[in-house]
Amino acid sequence: MVRAPQAGSIQRRLALSHLLLGALASICLFLAIRFVAFQTAEATQDNLLRAAANTIAEQIGSSGDQVIVKLPHSAFAILETAAQDRIFYNVRVNGQSITGYEDFLPPDATRRVRDPYSFSLGYRGFDLRAVVLNSSAPAGSELQEVTILIGQTQDAQQAVADRFAAWAILISAGIFLGLAGLGAITAQQALRPLRDVTGAVERRGPNDLRPLRQPTPVELTPLTSALNDFIRRLRHSLRRSETFIAEAAHHIRTPLSTVKTETEIALRRTECDDTRRALRKVLFSVEESARSASQLLAYATVTQRSDSTPLERMDLKTKVQEAYDALFPTADLKDIEMHFTAQGPCFDIQGDVLMIEISLRNLIDNAIKYSDPDSRIDLNLQCDGDSVVLTIRDQGRGLGDVSPKQLFGRFKRGPETAGIVGTGMGLSIVNEVARSHGGQLYLSNNEERGTCAELSFPCLS
Amino acid sequence: MRFLLVEDNQNLAEAVSTRLAMDGHAIDMAGSLGEAQDYLAYSSYDIVLLDLTLPDGDGRRFLGQCRAAGNDVPVIAVTAQSDVSSRVEVLDAGADDYISKPVNFAELEARCRAVLRRRGGASHNVQQFADLEFDPLRAEVKVAGEPRELRNREMRLLEIFFSGPDRIYSKVQIGDRLFSSAEEISENVIEVYVARLRKKLDGSRAQIETVRGLGYRLSERG
Amino acid sequence: MCRAVLSLPVLRSLCLSLLGLLPLQTQAQAQTQAQAQAFEIEAHVRFDSAMEQAELRLLSVTDLSAFEQLIRDYQMRNPTVSVDYTQVSSRELYKAVAAQEVAFDVAISFAMDLQMKLANDGLAQDHQSRTSRAAPAWSRWRHEVFGFTAEPIVAVTSERGFEGLPLPRTRQELIALMRDHPDRFSGKVGIYDIRTVGTGYLLGTQDANRSEAYWRLAEVMGALDPQLYCCSSEMLDDIGTGELHLAYNVLESYAKSRLDQQGGGQILRLQDFTHVVMRSALIPANAQSPELAGSFVDYLLSAEGQSKIASETAFPPLSSYDAASGGPLRPIRFGVTLLANLDRLMRDRFIAAWEGALRLN
């Protein structure tokens, strides 16, 4: 299987984006909680400051033309915090400080708003949250302006915010982990339909060219449609090739047959030796052409079917018997005795019928071709549980001095083939058939004379 | 033998017909399945040579129909196609044998004989010369009633002589007929086979006579 | 140079200090540095170390004789440290630290409200250590003011004055007693003049915050010609001579030492509540040796320091107060309300009310 180049991982990308989303959400949540907590604490503090200011404001009175401000104890009691925050305050009448920290002033000292307002400011190097309350009291004939400013450090508030922050971290972390986990699961789940389709295609293997009928989610439909379209085109292409090969065979062989027959007729009729010799050469060449055509077409068939044809279960013994029957007359013509024996309980193999037939015919035909008349060819079929082996022994010319492997090459003929029509393709055809079936072709010279060809296929039991 | 040749290629049909006639056979030519049907209705044949791809239909289906109709004539399918059906499929369709183009006539004759032998055909092909009875179908020769078995080449050699008794055949002529176009003619082999045949005919009044410088001929002693 | 002159400011500062706990011989013995000070020094001693590598400058309201053993013990544990001890009144201590001119490392005072104000105003430094964090939260303010003693405030009765009379257990009973026997108590009740005595003002405001009984007590006293004092030493003198039958809001440890000497009196821990005052230390913002200061504060708070305080000084250490034990003891807490009491308007109002209740105006 050819591996396609990888460009990242969808699952990883999905999981990563979920992770990022989760991280973003968690961080936002954390900041939000902290912010809300701080705001709430600040609002609480503001309320307390206002309450304290109000308490003071309620105690504003006058005596004669003097404004009397009685600072109630409760005003300070309200402001007690667990963090022991610092307190600063300043009560002014008509701009004059009458008690408290004289230099403690709001940023906009002249602002006169009736309702108390809260703000933050710095004083003596501390960050304070403060409230200003403006009031007026009649004293004498005038209305005297009273300004109450109370400020407090925010340690208590910060402590609350920090405690919330601790919770916020915990919640955020939990949510982050949850989202991350969920993201990983979702990423995997999302890709399940894709894995299902992949599995379906993988399982069927390259021989199955049926369209995919599996229901897939709407996003994958274009993919499966394209795949099915591709399969269909491939199927058509294969069928066209097959048809072409078959038709090519017909269109070559029929005219060749005519040529051969007419030449034979001429050979019979002629009295002239020269003519006879020439015609014999023609016949030889025609035989070669026919043979070439056959072998080329057989080779094309074999290679085309090599990777794409569904394999079926067949009994090799039956196939060998058929080939034997088909070629028996040919052997008999040369008075060659051909014997077929088989040992074993079972000769089942998985294969393509046509390729097997072509290979068997080629091997037996070779044996007959290169044997002398009145010789003997032995066919023996055996199964040892692992593989089924067909052994063909002849008493012919043998392989000669060449290494058998070399003979598997296309158009390669051995050194002992002179005078016999042959294309050099037979063995490469048989070898290709063996290879594509997971089997093997092995050639050797017999001890005395002749060739031994062993064709083996994996046994199916 | 009487052949019905069903072949749509005119040139090939004529060539085959001529060739078979040279060996003494009778041939009718049908260019389509329709014509074949007509011929089969009129006459009887020893062998039908049926090309499987014809313009007006698939030879196999025609064959099936014939068999279904009860016509049992021996059929040898002739095909140029390399793959379409295996031999078994053709036999299953009703053919007795099949041969592929280009036709090897020696092989064709061998197959025809095998088919007829299997069918147990009548022995109307027995040829006589002196005290020899020669049945090419069974590859048997009887010398004064005594059967002698012949091997393939021996039989073919005898067939050559029987086709023209008392005629002289040169080695070359014998070679042409004995060897296939793919083989080299070997004069030695011819001599060897003549010697074998003589042995097989031992005791017969007929003999294979060597005519020096010219060849051999089948003649009667005396 | 010793400026121990018996002037009114000095007298006031003496009273504002440890309620005149100790005789003044320390002043006479003290060696002082010739230093131009913006505040008045009552005493100054330098405890030199032979292996001096650092100097710890203490500013304290406590009498030297009380602290001497503590300092020596500290030096034993820290032999490389010389200790420079300056004694002032609590008001002067406040002024010195507030002015931030002369640098001291530790400021020790009995005036809880002044200490708190210094810290609130940002004039003290933060100090955190395991020892300091181990102290109870109510004994310190933030990590800036550290109480290290727990001194109950009691009333003292004279034996002769209360002859035949039941000893009151609560303020209610005291009020009833005084109301029922005006003849016995008229002109015989002694209290601080809170207008001049800082501690007295502190205790008065605390009493008033805690209970309504304080004002009724004041009113009852007001009808009995109350005697105003600047310091507990004189109150106890007069208890001894019989001129006073009752002295109110006296430091228990001091009263005990005086009564041990002179007898004739009784210490009354009033059961409705008995305030506990904490002596406290803080590290001024401008301290030169803050780590050293921290080590001294830790020493005061440590188990060794506390036991030394118990054995060598008359002050009950902080550890002697058991919060879980129940009873009438109520420590005065560091809190914003102490600050409130220092407010000018609050103070004016309180004093006005006090004067009114005691019929002083």
Side-chain angles (χ1 to χ4, degrees):
Chain A
M1 191 171 70
V2 178
R3 287 198 80 98
Q6 279 190 324
S9 156
I10 296 181
Q11 187 167 328
R12 216 180 304 154
R13 232 179 287 162
L14 270 177
L16 205 69
S17 59
H18 268 102
L19 206 77
L20 287 175
L21 207 71
L24 207 68
S26 307
I27 292 173
C28 288
L29 189 68
F30 170 73
L31 293 175
I33 292 179
R34 274 203 65 193
F35 177 74
V36 167
F38 195 80
Q39 293 295 89
T40 312
E42 190 171 79
T44 311
Q45 186 177 31
D46 288 352
N47 285 338
L48 288 173
L49 288 169
R50 277 178 213 206
N54 277 322
T55 318
I56 299 172
E58 281 160 14
Q59 299 282 327
I60 297 174
S62 58
S63 158
D65 56 355
Q66 274 279 356
V67 169
I68 309 288
V69 176
K70 305 176 198 172
L71 277 187
H73 207 263
S74 53
F76 291 88
I78 289 173
L79 298 172
E80 196 91 56
T81 68
Q84 296 178 320
D85 282 304
R86 301 173 204 277
I87 301 280
F88 300 101
Y89 63 100
N90 189 6
V91 181
R92 291 181 295 143
V93 175
N94 288 340
Q96 280 285 90
S97 174
I98 59 169
T99 188
Y101 296 76
E102 286 175 4
D103 57 347
F104 185 42
L105 295 169
D108 184 1
T110 57
R111 187 163 163 205
R112 302 247 356 137
V113 173
R114 193 48 51 186
D115 293 322
Y117 65 95
S118 305
F119 56 97
S120 303
L121 81 163
Y123 178 67
R124 297 198 182 200
F126 301 114
D127 293 320
L128 306 179
R129 188 72 186 161
V131 69
V132 163
L133 194 156
N134 293 305
S135 184
S136 50
S141 51
E142 294 170 357
L143 210 57
Q144 312 242 353
E145 300 294 335
V146 181
T147 307
I148 303 166
L149 172 66
I150 307 180
Q152 190 180 35
T153 51
Q154 299 181 292
D155 295 340
Q157 177 189 356
Q158 190 61 50
V160 168
D162 286 346
R163 209 168 49 243
F164 270 93
W167 275 104
I169 288 177
L170 224 64
I171 294 174
S172 299
I175 287 191
F176 174 68
L177 289 173
L179 281 178
L182 209 68
I185 295 174
T186 309
Q188 187 157 44
Q189 289 293 85
L191 293 179
R192 185 138 57 110
L194 202 62
R195 276 198 293 277
D196 289 346
V197 170
T198 310
V201 173
E202 271 178 348
R203 269 193 300 278
R204 51 161 65 183
N207 298 331
D208 189 347
L209 291 178
R210 291 169 300 160
L212 288 169
R213 292 241 179 270
Q214 216 175 343
T216 50
V218 94
E219 291 81 4
L220 286 184
T221 311
L223 177 67
T224 49
S225 300
L227 207 60
N228 283 340
D229 199 48
F230 183 77
I231 290 172
R232 190 178 47 80
R233 281 184 278 136
L234 187 64
R235 217 175 36 241
H236 284 165
S237 167
L238 285 175
R239 234 183 278 145
R240 275 204 303 274
S241 299
E242 284 177 15
T243 318
F244 173 77
I245 289 173
E247 286 176 2
H250 185 268
H251 288 295
I252 291 173
R253 286 185 177 147
T254 304
L256 271 179
S257 197
T258 310
V259 169
K260 184 171 168 209
T261 313
E262 291 289 359
T263 312
E264 282 181 9
I265 293 170
L267 184 61
R268 277 289 191 94
R269 288 194 182 140
T270 186
E271 300 278 333
C272 171
D273 274 342
D274 286 338
T275 312
R276 184 176 288 113
R277 259 196 299 275
L279 288 175
R280 284 205 79 89
K281 281 193 197 153
V282 170
L283 277 174
F284 195 84
S285 296
V286 167
E287 199 66 35
E288 271 186 325
S289 308
R291 188 112 186 125
S292 284
S294 291
Q295 291 293 66
L296 285 168
L297 291 165
Y299 189 83
T301 305
V302 159
T303 44
Q304 192 219 44
R305 290 173 87 93
S306 204
D307 280 323
S308 65
T309 317
L311 303 177
E312 18 180 311
R313 196 187 180 105
M314 68 180 90
D315 182 357
L316 193 61
K317 181 167 168 214
T318 313
K319 290 295 162 197
V320 175
Q321 186 66 53
E322 285 170 13
Y324 175 89
D325 291 340
L327 286 164
F328 184 83
T330 316
D332 195 44
L333 273 180
K334 288 172 78 170
D335 288 316
I336 294 172
E337 278 181 42
M338 204 161 62
H339 296 269
F340 174 42
T341 50
Q343 292 99 37
C346 168
F347 305 98
D348 284 354
I349 62 166
Q350 185 97 343
D352 173 40
V353 169
L354 195 59
M355 288 168 81
I356 298 291
E357 285 179 355
I358 289 174
S359 63
L360 292 173
R361 203 167 317 189
N362 259 288
L363 276 181
I364 300 174
D365 192 64
N366 261 13
I368 296 172
K369 251 191 351 187
Y370 295 109
S371 288
D372 294 331
D374 292 308
S375 61
R376 187 187 160 108
I377 296 176
D378 282 296
L379 299 164
N380 177 255
L381 190 66
Q382 277 192 338
C383 178
D384 64 357
D386 276 337
S387 43
V388 184
V389 184
L390 172 66
T391 311
I392 304 177
R393 264 184 238 273
D394 63 56
Q395 291 167 331
R397 304 180 178 196
L399 300 171
D401 242 341
V402 76
S403 138
K405 275 237 154 49
Q406 283 186 301
L407 297 174
F408 294 161
R410 276 206 308 262
F411 308 118
K412 285 274 182 299
R413 302 192 71 195
E416 300 293 327
T417 57
I420 296 191
V421 170
T423 57
M425 297 199 71
L427 288 177
S428 52
I429 289 171
V430 178
N431 191 43
E432 176 62 22
V433 170
R435 186 205 66 78
S436 71
H437 283 69
Q440 238 196 336
L441 174 64
Y442 185 67
L443 296 172
S444 55
N445 283 318
N446 284 329
E447 265 180 32
E448 286 197 8
R449 56 175 291 132
T451 311
C452 175
E454 285 168 72
L455 178 62
S456 61
F457 297 100
C459 182
L460 245 198
S461 348
Chain B
M1 288 186 264
R2 273 184 75 82
F3 284 96
L4 175 63
L5 174 64
V6 189
E7 166 65 57
D8 65 311
N9 185 307
Q10 188 77 357
N11 286 335
L12 180 59
E14 284 175 9
V16 170
S17 181
T18 311
R19 179 68 181 76
L20 286 173
M22 278 181 156
D23 285 341
H25 302 294
I27 301 101
D28 279 337
M29 288 188 286
S32 68
L33 289 174
E35 280 185 47
Q37 194 99 24
D38 294 338
Y39 276 107
L40 282 172
Y42 277 118
S43 325
S44 66
Y45 298 94
D46 291 315
I47 302 275
V48 174
L49 295 176
L50 178 64
D51 184 317
L52 288 179
T53 47
L54 289 160
D56 60 341
D58 184 5
R60 273 166 294 189
R61 195 133 28 99
F62 172 77
L63 191 51
Q65 288 164 352
C66 278
R67 294 302 186 222
N71 194 336
D72 208 21
V73 62
V75 173
I76 292 182
V78 182
T79 176
Q81 310 245 332
S82 56
D83 71 301
V84 172
S85 47
S86 63
R87 182 165 177 272
V88 175
E89 281 178 44
V90 173
L91 296 186
D92 283 346
D96 292 86
D97 203 343
Y98 98 134
I99 193 169
S100 55
K101 295 176 184 174
V103 174
N104 180 331
F105 286 93
E107 189 187 328
L108 178 62
E109 265 182 271
R111 289 187 189 275
C112 289
R113 281 203 199 98
V115 167
L116 290 174
R117 250 202 308 272
R118 274 204 302 277
R119 292 298 200 98
S123 317
H124 57 267
N125 271 349
V126 175
Q127 296 170 313
Q128 297 225 342
F129 180 80
D131 58 352
L132 292 178
E133 276 172 40
F134 175 51
D135 186 350
L137 205 60
R138 289 196 175 71
E140 266 180 13
V141 67
K142 284 188 187 161
V143 176
E146 186 195 329
R148 306 270 170 93
E149 251 194 67
L150 294 173
R151 303 199 63 194
N152 196 297
R153 279 192 171 173
E154 293 157 3
M155 185 207 64
R156 279 164 55 212
L157 188 56
L158 191 56
E159 207 177 5
I160 292 168
F161 287 122
F162 259 89
S163 67
D166 283 316
R167 236 181 87 184
I168 298 176
Y169 288 95
S170 67
K171 282 186 185 167
V172 174
Q173 284 171 319
I174 293 171
D176 280 346
R177 305 216 191 166
L178 207 56
F179 296 107
S180 76
S181 46
E183 292 170 273
E184 272 183 28
I185 297 175
S186 164
E187 297 206 346
N188 281 346
V189 174
I190 294 170
E191 285 168 16
V192 164
Y193 275 104
V194 166
R196 283 197 198 162
L197 190 58
R198 280 180 178 151
K199 225 190 258 175
K200 290 278 171 78
L201 297 178
D202 193 32
S204 164
R205 277 206 326 273
Q207 60 158 6
I208 309 289
E209 187 191 332
T210 307
V211 179
R212 227 171 253 294
L214 290 175
Y216 302 96
R217 71 170 163 199
L218 181 66
S219 59
E220 204 168 336
R221 286 180 214 270
Chain C
M1 195 160 82
C2 178
R3 294 228 228 141
V5 179
L6 281 172
S7 60
L8 195 55
V10 174
L11 207 60
R12 188 180 300 166
S13 44
L14 278 179
C15 291
L16 281 175
S17 75
L18 279 179
L19 307 178
L21 174 66
L22 294 165
L24 302 171
Q25 62 257 36
T26 316
Q27 286 180 323
Q29 292 170 1
Q31 305 151 3
T32 57
Q33 278 178 304
Q35 236 182 329
Q37 306 284 1
F39 50 92
E40 295 173 15
I41 296 180
E42 291 172 7
H44 178 260
V45 172
R46 193 166 201 281
F47 296 83
D48 289 315
S49 155
M51 300 177 278
E52 174 177 329
Q53 286 176 17
E55 188 193 41
L56 178 71
R57 294 171 57 86
L58 301 179
L59 182 64
S60 171
V61 164
T62 314
D63 245 35
L64 178 60
S65 54
F67 244 63
E68 191 165 343
Q69 292 308 314
L70 285 181
I71 290 170
R72 293 218 187 277
D73 188 47
Y74 173 77
Q75 278 190 311
M76 203 177 62
R77 298 168 191 278
N78 301 274
T80 61
V81 180
S82 295
V83 178
D84 183 294
Y85 188 90
T86 306
Q87 184 183 329
V88 292
S89 72
S90 52
R91 188 132 293 263
E92 292 304 306
L93 183 142
Y94 177 83
K95 273 166 61 179
V97 177
Q100 297 268 295
E101 281 168 5
V102 184
F104 291 93
D105 297 314
V106 185
I108 302 166
S109 172
F110 194 65
M112 290 175 68
D113 45 0
L114 294 179
Q115 293 282 76
M116 228 221 84
K117 183 159 169 63
L118 285 173
N120 182 72
D121 292 358
L123 297 164
Q125 273 191 38
D126 190 270
H127 165 71
Q128 295 191 43
S129 70
R130 193 156 359 133
T131 317
S132 76
R133 275 195 279 265
W138 49 262
S139 72
R140 52 179 170 80
W141 195 74
R142 300 174 72 88
H143 291 282
E144 296 171 23
V145 183
F146 304 91
F148 60 93
T149 66
E151 308 182 38
I153 305 295
V154 296
V156 178
T157 57
S158 79
E159 267 179 17
R160 232 180 312 135
F162 269 73
E163 211 174 323
L165 288 174
L167 284 177
R169 286 167 303 181
T170 66
R171 282 170 185 77
Q172 274 78 356
E173 287 182 15
L174 178 61
I175 290 165
L177 199 64
M178 288 196 292
R179 200 183 288 138
D180 292 344
H181 306 274
D183 45 312
R184 297 281 291 267
F185 287 101
S186 186
K188 299 290 186 185
V189 175
I191 53 174
Y192 289 113
D193 184 351
I194 69 165
R195 295 171 293 194
T196 56
V197 181
T199 315
Y201 175 73
L202 171 68
L203 294 172
T205 50
Q206 291 298 311
D207 279 3
N209 285 347
R210 193 165 288 284
S211 169
E212 276 293 302
Y214 175 76
W215 290 114
R216 282 185 280 126
L217 185 63
E219 280 163 11
V220 165
M221 287 184 183
L224 296 172
D225 184 26
Q227 303 299 305
L228 300 180
Y229 288 83
C230 74
C231 26
S232 36
S233 58
E234 291 181 14
M235 275 205 274
L236 283 162
D237 288 344
D238 288 355
I239 289 277
T241 58
E243 278 183 48
L244 276 184
H245 291 331
L246 175 77
Y248 185 72
N249 275 356
V250 182
L251 191 64
E252 187 186 58
S253 52
Y254 178 67
K256 201 181 287 186
S257 71
R258 283 294 299 267
L259 288 178
D260 285 346
Q261 282 178 13
Q262 67 194 41
Q266 229 143 346
I267 288 178
L268 219 55
R269 275 195 187 185
L270 291 167
Q271 293 298 301
D272 47 343
F273 63 87
T274 297
H275 273 132
V276 176
V277 178
M278 288 187 283
R279 211 169 296 258
S280 58
L282 64 78
I283 304 174
N286 64 345
Q288 298 279 313
S289 324
E291 296 89 29
L292 214 54
S295 79
F296 187 74
V297 169
D298 287 343
Y299 166 73
L300 291 175
L301 294 171
S302 68
E304 298 84 16
Q306 291 277 297
S307 73
K308 254 297 183 265
I309 290 171
S311 59
E312 301 294 334
T313 70
F315 319 137
L318 182 67
S319 50
S320 70
Y321 173 73
D322 183 9
S325 63
L329 293 180
R330 300 277 180 272
I332 297 175
R333 290 168 183 265
F334 286 110
V336 171
T337 45
L338 276 187
L339 209 60
N341 292 339
L342 293 175
D343 178 77
R344 179 152 56 98
L345 293 182
M346 295 275 288
R347 183 190 158 85
D348 290 349
R349 252 182 49 224
F350 187 85
I351 288 177
W354 180 80
E355 286 175 343
L358 291 173
R359 303 188 195 177
L360 299 174
N361 41 13

